[in-house]
Amino acid sequence: MVQIRRTLITVVSLAALGGLATLAAWDWRAIAAAEAVNARIVSGKAAADSQVPEEAFAAGLRFARAGKVPAALAQYNRVENEETASPALRRAARFNSGNLYLREAIEAADAGDTAAATPQFELAKAAYRVVLRADPQHMSARYNLERALRRAPEVEQQDDAEVEQLPPAERSVTTMQAESQGLP
């Protein structure tokens, strides 16, 4: 009876030890993968097709520094839409997108191309507003939104009183018994 108990304890202990060794190996692989990602980020060789949001963000930075704006915007868009990315990383990607849009808008405006500058300014303002909705204390987004608003002010909607009225001859009262045809 004692021998059976010892054998059972030994088998259970070995099974538990094997399970723990498997978990340790799994963790070791995850740590090794994270270290490889960190090494690529630090070396400036972040992979653009990485499934790790932090590495995709670093690839966006690399593309932005190289002047490859469409590629950088694509990386930032991937990070913004990645559900596993932290909210802070998603905000940073949106902020960086806004910076790229603002930079492109200022360059186009300074070159006299208002047709290209206007949508870029609007995209920049929208990006900064998204960041500020999530973090109202983000001072860089506030500053850059102010810069964008100074360069491309918002167009105010006209009040109904300012809309041109038709001359009295064009405004006629209907004689129909039902509802008026001119009103919605």
Side-chain angles (χ1 to χ4, degrees), residues 11 38 44 47 51 61 101 104 130 139 167 181 184:
V11 169
N38 287 341
Q51 297 302 315
L61 284 174
Y101 289 131
E104 292 288 312
V130 168
M139 296 310 291
Q181 296 296 313

Side-chain angles (χ1 to χ4, degrees), residues 90-159:
R90 294 167 98 174
R91 275 193 310 273
R94 175 63 76 164
F95 177 72
N96 285 2
S97 295
N99 289 344
L100 289 174
Y101 289 131
L102 182 61
R103 187 176 304 127
E104 292 288 312
I106 290 172
E107 288 174 5
D110 289 347
D113 189 3
T114 56
T118 302
Q120 298 291 336
F121 276 122
E122 295 305 317
L123 288 168
K125 290 187 278 189
Y128 295 135
R129 286 184 176 125
V130 168
V131 171
L132 287 171
R133 268 189 232 109
D135 181 11
Q137 302 303 317
H138 197 292
M139 296 310 291
S140 296
R142 283 178 181 266
Y143 175 77
N144 287 351
L145 177 60
E146 180 66 26
R147 284 182 63 204
L149 286 169
R150 285 179 191 244
R151 293 293 299 254
E154 298 287 315
V155 178
E156 302 263 344
Q157 295 292 331
Q158 292 182 347
D159 292 337

Side-chain angles (χ1 to χ4, degrees), residues 22-92:
T22 302
L23 290 175
W26 185 272
D27 283 345
W28 181 80
R29 280 185 44 196
I31 290 170
E35 287 177 350
V37 167
N38 287 341
R40 286 192 304 268
I41 290 172
V42 168
S43 70
K45 298 176 183 174
D49 60 347
S50 174
Q51 297 302 315
V52 179
E54 290 81 2
E55 188 171 10
F57 183 85
L61 284 174
R62 181 171 48 96
F63 288 137
R65 288 181 182 140
K68 300 176 181 176
V69 174
L73 289 172
Q75 290 299 314
Y76 291 145
N77 189 34
R78 278 187 51 218
V79 173
E80 290 172 41
N81 295 323
E82 182 63 44
E83 293 177 7
T84 60
S86 69
L89 187 65
R90 294 167 98 174
R91 275 193 310 273

